[in-house]
Amino acid sequence: MHSQKKIGILGLGNLLLRDEGFGVHFINYLTERYEIPAHVAVLDGGTAGIMMAPFIEDADILYVIDTVALRDQPPGSIHHFSDQDIQAGNLHARMSPHQVGLLEILDLCRIRETAPEQTEMITVVPEDLSIAIGLTPTLAAKLPEVMAILEKALAGQGTLLRIRENLADA
């Protein structure tokens, strides 16, 4: 029996800037509703920067959940960037402030030959980045949609998430 690949799910964001905290809110949504298999690690990366490197280096496959500011895209629109998009530098959009740090960490991991085999980013365009805690209704409504995208990606890797028992009965 071959061992399963280690999967990392990393949520990024600043909870103090309303929709900028989407990735962190997503991690809470995920861990409250689903049982996480042993080969899957989940991290609320907040705005941790280089401190996330050990988590990133430990993953064979990395999924990053975050916001992205894309011109001419409506708030709440979801954008999925593949490993090829990231490595080719196709992320011309202005990402959230910590995302430059994430891309630099991934580059550093590649140089050190410790980068995940595959990295994908599932991002949502924010509506409000003012100083406030909690998502706008527009982005809160996107949590289940982003979850569905992640579930499909995980299923493609042979990983299925189970809904927690207390939620399955509700």
Side-chain angles (χ1 to χ4, degrees):
M1 177 177 153
H2 77 317
S3 62
Q4 275 189 299
K5 292 185 183 277
K6 291 182 188 174
I7 296 174
I9 303 171
L10 175 62
L12 299 178
N14 185 335
L15 288 175
L16 301 177
L17 298 177
R18 192 94 186 184
D19 287 341
E20 167 64 21
F22 183 85
V24 175
H25 286 288
F26 179 82
I27 293 299
N28 294 334
Y29 179 90
L30 168 68
T31 57
E32 288 169 4
R33 288 168 178 75
Y34 293 86
E35 294 177 12
I36 308 300
H39 68 285
V40 176
V42 177
L43 178 67
D44 160 2
T47 57
I50 195 70
M51 301 305 287
M52 295 180 292
F55 179 84
I56 292 169
E57 292 176 333
D58 194 47
D60 296 314
I61 300 167
L62 178 66
Y63 296 97
V64 179
I65 314 298
D66 200 0
T67 56
V68 60
L70 294 173
R71 258 187 237 154
D72 304 323
Q73 294 296 317
S77 61
I78 298 170
H79 302 273
H80 191 166
F81 296 99
S82 70
D83 197 52
Q84 293 78 15
D85 293 329
I86 297 166
Q87 289 192 30
N90 292 340
L91 304 182
H92 299 297
R94 173 70 179 121
M95 307 301 246
S96 52
H98 49 265
Q99 215 140 28
V100 172
L102 172 69
L103 297 176
E104 289 170 352
I105 293 167
L106 288 170
D107 285 342
L108 180 62
C109 291
R110 279 189 207 95
I111 291 167
R112 293 171 34 131
E113 298 182 357
T114 57
E117 296 168 21
Q118 177 183 336
T119 300
E120 294 183 28
M121 297 177 72
I122 306 169
T123 63
V124 181
V125 175
E127 181 175 52
D128 181 355
L129 298 177
S130 65
I131 297 174
I133 296 176
L135 295 174
T136 58
T138 301
L139 261 66
K142 298 300 174 176
L143 290 167
E145 287 182 55
V146 170
M147 188 67 228
I149 293 167
L150 179 62
E151 281 185 286
K152 184 176 179 183
L154 290 171
Q157 299 294 339
T159 297
L160 301 176
L161 296 179
R162 289 182 18 173
I163 294 177
R164 292 192 174 277
E165 290 290 326
N166 57 342
L167 295 174
D169 299 335

